[in-house]
Amino acid sequence: MALLNVLCYPDPRLNQVAKPVAQVDARIKKIVADMADTMYEAPGVGLAATQVDIHERIVVIDISEDQNDLKVFINPEIIWSSPEKKSWREGCLSVPDFYDEVERPSQVRVKALDIDGKEFELDADGLLAVCLQHELDHLQGKVFVAYLSILKRTRISQKLKKRAKEFAGER
């Protein structure tokens, strides 16, 4: 499988809204496999297709310690969220080395297609609920820093732009 390039904030491609997957076929299965490899290599616990410049509604998540419980969500949508909220310290492969508190519903129910194109629903709480909401935000063109103050977003953006310039200068 291939490792994919993860877009880094503030890349404007991260703000694109993903389109629904029309059919789960061999092309989509390859994208899922490549996304999983990319997520595990990073290492991360979730990855949305938008983050690898594929603007289709695909998410992979694995919150297991041993990285042996890959969950695939094609055309996912949150169909219910709890009124109770919980704050979690979030990070993102597209915003490397930055973490901050984000408040989200503590439980969600998601409807999606699996890797075989079969529809399913999943109730999630804890870290899985946070990951689902975080990754589905990506499919809507929203990066977790959008929940932070303008001052924090600006600082993060400036630091990542500077880091990218320094990295490009080393080449």
Side-chain angles (χ1 to χ4, degrees):
M1 299 299 149
L3 292 181
L4 304 169
N5 183 44
V6 177
L7 300 176
C8 197
Y9 179 81
D11 191 309
R13 293 172 289 180
L14 289 168
N15 301 122
Q16 288 186 32
V17 176
K19 306 252 185 289
V21 171
Q23 179 181 349
V24 180
D25 55 16
R27 181 184 70 85
I28 296 298
K29 289 179 181 185
K30 177 166 182 4
I31 290 169
V32 166
D34 291 347
M35 285 176 60
D37 288 346
T38 302
M39 175 186 70
Y40 289 133
E41 181 70 22
V45 295
L47 187 65
T50 302
Q51 293 177 269
V52 291
D53 204 19
I54 297 170
H55 301 283
E56 296 184 74
R57 294 188 60 80
I58 306 167
V59 166
V60 295
I61 293 176
D62 188 343
I63 60 169
S64 68
E65 288 287 321
D66 299 329
Q67 296 184 328
N68 62 359
D69 188 24
L70 181 67
K71 292 181 180 5
V72 176
F73 302 86
I74 299 168
N75 295 337
E77 59 181 294
I78 294 173
I79 57 174
W80 174 84
S81 58
S82 67
E84 302 86 35
K85 306 257 188 221
K86 182 157 187 184
S87 186
W88 286 80
R89 188 165 173 79
E90 294 188 26
C92 181
L93 296 179
S94 292
V95 190
D97 305 323
F98 290 92
Y99 302 87
D100 215 314
E101 296 290 319
V102 176
E103 186 177 72
R104 299 182 183 272
S106 60
Q107 297 174 302
V108 294
R109 179 174 299 127
V110 173
K111 178 172 78 172
L113 301 177
D114 67 14
I115 191 69
D116 297 314
K118 293 186 176 73
E119 190 175 288
F120 70 97
E121 288 185 13
L122 175 74
D123 289 324
D125 61 7
L127 181 57
L128 182 57
V130 171
C131 285
L132 280 164
Q133 293 172 83
H134 178 109
E135 301 308 335
L136 269 65
D137 274 355
H138 278 298
L139 299 180
Q140 293 302 118
K142 186 174 187 179
V143 180
F144 92 96
V145 296
Y147 292 97
L148 308 179
S149 71
I150 287 183
L151 179 63
K152 283 185 178 182
R153 274 198 312 267
T154 302
R155 280 190 187 145
I156 290 169
S157 177
Q158 289 172 340
K159 286 180 181 177
L160 289 174
K161 282 179 184 175
K162 181 180 178 189
R163 190 183 297 168
K165 244 184 232 172
E166 289 169 353
F167 181 74
E170 291 174 5
R171 292 183 157 193

